[in-house]
Amino acid sequence: MTLHWLDTDKRRPAFTFYKTFMPHARITKKEALCVIYADHQPELLTQNQTIKRQPDKKHVEAGEQRESALLENGQLGNKPLAIEQPEDREIIAAARIRPIGHYRLLTGLLVHPKLRRQGLGHRLMQALTPTFGQAPTFLFCDARLIPFYQRHGFALPNTPPGELLQLQRRYQGNAGASAKEQDKNFTLMQYLG
């Protein structure tokens, strides 16, 4: 599975993907954002989906330059598998890693609804795993997703960082959220490997 880490000025298709399937998501420029394109998962495509073109050499070279810039800016803790920007390809999955102090927060893990329950989320987590060991990595999840994240090395933290506990309280008490979102209890988990 190839992750494509998006440069901050080339995220419009990812914004559209999140707005369509996770409208409450708020993407910030300091987050590292990765996507998986449909043409890298032909076995997951339905008959009405199309496979779009592969990137040409120019896109790959430009992607390598953006990768270096992201690494230098500290947005990625290690070398990603791929980084490129062909905007005309369909996104089927995405995830974001937000820096919070010297911690990292995995957020916005999203698989296209038509492709769920086919193992794509597990493969996305496996592809992301090498990035988790570079700094203490955490996530918030709904209680029903705890077993999913446990299979990928996350567990309840022994001593959760104060700034993440504060963020958790803010998420759970979000006055502007819908009644459905206010009722959610988010569980803080840490990557332990």
Side-chain angles (χ1 to χ4, degrees):
M1 168 150 318
T2 303
L3 296 179
H4 300 268
W5 294 93
L6 303 183
D7 198 19
T8 55
D9 63 341
K10 301 288 185 173
R11 294 183 174 187
R12 185 170 302 279
F15 290 154
T16 302
F17 181 69
Y18 275 102
K19 186 175 182 180
T20 303
F21 303 114
M22 189 185 280
H24 63 276
R26 301 292 176 253
I27 302 170
T28 66
K29 288 184 178 184
K30 65 182 177 178
E31 293 176 338
L33 190 151
C34 65
V35 299
I36 298 170
Y37 293 110
D39 56 285
H40 287 284
Q41 298 299 316
E43 71 277 8
L44 296 177
L45 298 175
T46 60
Q47 288 183 336
N48 62 352
Q49 292 173 309
T50 60
I51 296 177
K52 303 197 179 184
R53 68 174 174 80
Q54 292 292 327
D56 60 20
K57 185 176 179 180
K58 180 180 162 186
H59 279 114
V60 172
E61 288 172 359
E64 289 169 357
Q65 291 172 352
R66 284 188 294 279
E67 173 185 322
S68 295
L70 285 171
L71 288 169
E72 287 173 17
N73 291 335
Q75 287 184 304
L76 299 177
N78 70 341
K79 189 171 179 68
L81 297 174
I83 183 165
E84 52 189 77
Q85 281 306 257
E87 289 87 2
D88 64 343
R89 295 163 60 193
E90 183 179 5
I91 297 171
I92 60 171
R96 302 178 344 252
I97 298 177
R98 181 188 329 168
I100 298 178
H102 70 277
Y103 305 110
R104 297 168 71 189
L105 184 67
L106 173 64
T107 186
L109 187 76
L110 178 60
V111 173
H112 191 291
K114 291 183 179 179
L115 298 174
R116 291 181 183 159
R117 304 221 183 281
Q118 297 181 37
L120 186 56
H122 288 290
R123 290 188 287 187
L124 176 58
M125 286 297 292
Q126 290 167 351
L128 282 166
T129 296
T131 68
F132 298 153
Q134 300 301 312
T137 302
F138 295 83
L139 61 80
F140 295 111
C141 70
D142 186 276
R144 62 188 168 85
L145 294 174
I146 291 173
F148 171 82
Y149 289 112
Q150 285 175 328
R151 282 181 264 171
H152 296 284
F154 283 84
L156 300 176
N158 292 330
T159 40
E163 53 258 69
L164 292 175
L165 288 175
Q166 210 172 18
L167 187 58
Q168 181 181 23
R169 283 190 291 275
R170 194 172 65 190
Y171 283 165
Q172 290 179 182
N174 188 351
S178 68
K180 183 179 177 182
E181 289 173 336
Q182 286 178 359
D183 291 338
K184 283 189 177 182
N185 286 320
F186 293 104
T187 302
L188 177 64
M189 299 184 79
Q190 179 178 6
Y191 180 73
L192 300 176

